[in-house]
Amino acid sequence: MSQAQNTDVTLKKTILHPLHGELGGRLVAFAGYELPVQFRGIREEHLHTRAHASLFDISHMGQIMLHGARAAESLERLVPSRLTDLRAGQQRYTVLLNEAAGIIDDLIVTRLDDDTLFLIVNAACRQKDLACLRAHLGGKIIIEEVPEQALIALQGPAAATTLAGLGIETDDLAFMQAKRVTFQKARCLFSRSGYTGEDGFEISIPNEHATVLFRDLLAQPHVQPAGLGARDTLRLEAGLCLYGHELSEEITPVTAGLNWILDRERLQTAQSCTGGDVILRQLNEGTPRQRVGILVEGKVPVREGTELLDQDDNIVGRVTSGSYSPCLEKPVAMAYVNADLCHPGTGLNARVRQRLHPVQVARLPFVPHRYSKQKQHK
């Protein structure tokens, strides 16, 4: 869940920006912010995350509170997922939809209590998300931005033991669950979630305490900082969508292969959600194209925008994200291809610098997810 690069001259800085410079981070413009793309190298940071634990500054993401007795019911009318069944401490990944069922943004919704929802949205989409929420929920629900909170992601198989080393117990959390935790007198929200395919946590913490927590986590064994570059290759291996690439206002959840977020029972009802009629029709009739994985035969990388051709040289798809996979040690990509060619094993050609290179449609994810599905019992 992320954003396209922004080239504005005046860039915002997160509260952790001075620390990134101290740690030797290579800074780039991203979604209106100056953020580290890497510290020691993308491949090293990627593999360290898969083997141990890495720390990411994701404070550029938008954090929004919705307050009101009918907050879940009201937001549910804008998304294709059910939210009213969420209990306190539960999270759900979903998407905001326009009238044509195009995706305005993808987001994480956490129910904090009966009357409060906490949203994490993409930085580049924050203003249009707020405009959508205010247009549909304004007057009924209090919509509150939370700029005074930083957001830190600790990702990797050593994440839980790392937090335990600081006295923060998370055994009571399974994937997509959250709880309030006090860290050095700071009231934080810890959620067992992330966008790498690994077990891990996202931590919303007051700005004034964020640097202390970041330093304390880095001081733990097996933890290193990581930048946007590794975050992107990790989510690509995990087959996770990136807003502005796999997701946009022209792409529906069905086309994107996000059927697992859809509440089909609710979609059958009248006025289920914005764009619900389009989604229901696509579920019944299919879509012209589908999101798929792409494995490259050889070492030539296929980047965003690369055309995909069938064996008769017809253009049948286009790459949305592509990079080298450190775990598979070969180039991989995601793409949208014609629905009749989306079966795993289908052979296509990628046109790179006017030369054709053989590729194969593959199942997603490329690397299996390793989320913590069950609470640990002592």
Side-chain angles (χ1 to χ4, degrees), residues 294-331:
I294 297 291
L295 288 174
V296 180
E297 299 178 20
K299 298 296 184 181
V300 175
V302 292
R303 306 295 186 187
E304 177 189 3
T306 299
E307 293 176 342
L308 299 176
L309 295 82
D310 64 14
Q311 303 307 317
D312 296 320
D313 291 340
N314 300 305
I315 297 174
V316 294
R318 192 173 299 272
V319 171
T320 52
S321 295
S323 186
Y324 180 80
S325 164
C327 289
L328 300 184
E329 297 184 331
K330 63 190 304 180

Side-chain angles (χ1 to χ4, degrees), residues 229-286:
R231 183 171 163 84
D232 190 47
T233 55
L234 287 160
R235 70 91 196 167
L236 177 57
E237 281 189 349
L240 302 174
C241 296
L242 179 70
Y243 197 87
H245 295 249
E246 288 71 45
L247 306 180
S248 74
E249 294 198 42
E250 286 70 52
I251 296 171
T252 70
V254 181
T255 301
L258 298 178
N259 293 11
W260 57 273
I261 74 171
L262 305 177
D263 185 333
R264 298 188 183 222
E265 181 179 347
R266 191 165 66 86
L267 288 168
Q268 299 282 350
T269 64
Q271 299 179 337
S272 60
C273 70
T274 304
D277 56 336
V278 176
I279 292 175
L280 194 57
R281 183 171 66 252
Q282 290 184 343
L283 286 173
N284 292 328
E285 301 175 4

Side-chain angles (χ1 to χ4, degrees), residues 28 133 188 297 304 308 377:
V28 298
L133 293 172
C188 311
E297 299 178 20
E304 177 189 3
L308 299 176
H377 299 284

Side-chain angles (χ1 to χ4, degrees), residues 343-375:
H343 304 291
T346 300
L348 300 173
N349 290 308
R351 179 181 286 156
V352 181
R353 299 188 184 93
Q354 301 308 311
R355 296 186 61 181
L356 297 182
H357 299 269
V359 301
Q360 189 177 96
V361 174
R363 295 186 187 279
L364 294 170
F366 298 108
V367 174
H369 297 164
R370 297 197 292 180
Y371 304 131
S372 178
K373 294 295 186 181
Q374 296 182 340
K375 298 178 184 180

Side-chain angles (χ1 to χ4, degrees), residues 82-324:
R82 188 175 295 277
L83 302 178
T84 49
D85 65 341
L86 286 176
R87 298 189 299 274
Q90 290 186 321
Q91 299 184 301
R92 192 150 291 159
Y93 172 85
T94 190
V95 292
L96 279 177
L97 297 177
N98 60 28
E99 295 292 341
I103 297 171
I104 297 172
D105 196 8
D106 60 334
L107 63 155
I108 299 289
V109 180
T110 307
R111 185 188 280 277
L112 298 183
D113 55 46
D114 289 346
D115 299 336
T116 308
L117 297 181
F118 174 61
L119 316 182
I120 297 178
V121 304
N122 287 309
C125 300
R126 175 167 41 198
Q127 291 307 315
K128 68 173 181 175
D129 292 349
L130 286 167
C132 175
L133 293 172
R134 287 166 180 156
H136 291 88
L137 308 184
K140 299 177 290 185
I141 303 298
I142 297 172
I143 301 166
E144 175 193 5
E145 286 193 84
V146 193
E148 69 278 6
Q149 295 280 120
L151 196 61
I152 297 169
L154 177 67
Q155 298 286 296
T161 55
T162 295
L163 292 178
L166 295 179
I168 301 170
E169 294 297 332
T170 56
D171 285 352
D172 56 338
L173 294 180
F175 182 59
M176 297 301 281
Q177 293 183 345
K179 69 175 181 178
R180 296 284 194 183
V181 173
T182 299
F183 171 77
Q184 296 191 358
K185 300 183 179 179
R187 194 71 166 154
C188 311
L189 181 68
F190 279 67
S191 65
R192 199 157 200 164
S193 59
Y195 222 59
T196 63
E198 294 293 332
D199 186 22
F201 301 84
E202 293 190 349
I203 307 160
S204 179
I205 181 171
N207 283 331
E208 60 269 27
H209 298 278
T211 299
V212 172
L213 176 60
F214 206 91
R215 288 187 186 280
D216 284 354
L217 288 169
L218 284 178
Q220 297 299 302
H222 311 303
V223 179
Q224 294 184 4
L228 295 171
R231 183 171 163 84
D232 190 47
T233 55
L234 287 160
R235 70 91 196 167
L236 177 57
E237 281 189 349
L240 302 174
C241 296
L242 179 70
Y243 197 87
H245 295 249
E246 288 71 45
L247 306 180
S248 74
E249 294 198 42
E250 286 70 52
I251 296 171
T252 70
V254 181
T255 301
L258 298 178
N259 293 11
W260 57 273
I261 74 171
L262 305 177
D263 185 333
R264 298 188 183 222
E265 181 179 347
R266 191 165 66 86
L267 288 168
Q268 299 282 350
T269 64
Q271 299 179 337
S272 60
C273 70
T274 304
D277 56 336
V278 176
I279 292 175
L280 194 57
R281 183 171 66 252
Q282 290 184 343
L283 286 173
N284 292 328
E285 301 175 4
T287 58
R289 54 186 180 142
Q290 281 288 304
R291 178 172 65 96
V292 298
I294 297 291
L295 288 174
V296 180
E297 299 178 20
K299 298 296 184 181
V300 175
V302 292
R303 306 295 186 187
E304 177 189 3
T306 299
E307 293 176 342
L308 299 176
L309 295 82
D310 64 14
Q311 303 307 317
D312 296 320
D313 291 340
N314 300 305
I315 297 174
V316 294
R318 192 173 299 272
V319 171
T320 52
S321 295
S323 186
Y324 180 80

